[in-house]
Amino acid sequence: MTFEKAAVENRLGAAIVGSDATVQAGLEKLVNDTHADEVIVVTDTYEHSDRMDSYERVARIAAEIDLVPNVERRFK
């Protein structure tokens, strides 16, 4: 496998793509696995309106996720 192909596959492995339920499950898994305090979302679309729709959708989904903060990790 070439370096370039491995790099692309590595990046795509972190992609969360799909229905609202799929995106919610992916975000929940990502945050639970990494204990992230924030997530950076990137949407690659040509049309600005499509990009804004995507960001609004992700924001709505993220607001529905009920996660308990990992307080112990924060104060180590």
Side-chain angles (χ1 to χ4, degrees):
M1 178 179 310
T2 67
F3 172 77
E4 292 84 5
K5 184 175 181 180
V8 169
E9 287 181 1
N10 183 39
R11 297 288 186 256
L12 292 177
I16 301 172
V17 180
S19 68
D20 287 5
T22 300
V23 171
Q24 181 169 345
L27 286 174
E28 287 173 344
K29 181 175 181 349
L30 174 68
V31 172
N32 283 324
D33 289 352
T34 64
H35 303 285
D37 293 327
E38 62 185 15
V39 175
I40 297 172
V41 176
V42 176
T43 299
D44 294 323
T45 61
Y46 179 78
E47 293 293 331
H48 179 71
S49 61
D50 292 340
R51 196 166 36 257
M52 294 306 296
D53 289 344
S54 176
Y55 290 141
E56 289 170 3
R57 181 176 157 217
V58 171
R60 185 182 67 253
I61 292 167
E64 295 174 5
I65 296 173
D66 185 27
L67 297 172
V68 177
N70 186 345
V71 176
E72 183 178 311
R73 185 178 144 271
R74 283 184 164 216
F75 295 106
K76 281 187 174 182

